[in-house]
Amino acid sequence: MPMLRISYYLLTRKEMYVDLGEDYFDKQRQQSIVRHSLQRLEGLGYSVTLQEPEAS
């Protein structure tokens, strides 16, 4: 059923399909994922220090 909706949407709007990538939703929720992972590790008794990645 989702494929039919996508097809209908693209055909009626005359748009091309654009694949957002496998990590699209992870990128959107990055802060939430980091916060949740930090809480899980601390709950297991780990002491965690976060460091921002260097810009490339």
Side-chain angles (χ1 to χ4, degrees), residues 1-4 11-12 16 18-21 24-25 27-30 39 41 43 45-46 48 50-52 54-56:
M1 191 68 163
M3 288 299 291
L4 291 176
L11 290 171
T12 57
M16 296 294 296
V18 177
D19 188 4
L20 299 176
Y24 175 75
F25 293 106
K27 286 180 181 178
Q28 283 189 322
R29 298 184 50 232
Q30 183 175 359
Q39 290 172 349
L41 287 168
Y46 289 92
V48 180
L50 296 178
Q51 180 180 351
E52 290 286 328
E54 294 180 16
S56 51

Side-chain angles (χ1 to χ4, degrees), residues 30-49:
Q30 183 175 359
Q31 290 298 322
S32 175
I33 293 169
V34 169
R35 186 173 50 255
H36 176 74
S37 300
L38 180 62
Q39 290 172 349
R40 291 279 295 147
L41 287 168
E42 289 176 342
L44 293 171
Y46 289 92
S47 175
V48 180
T49 303

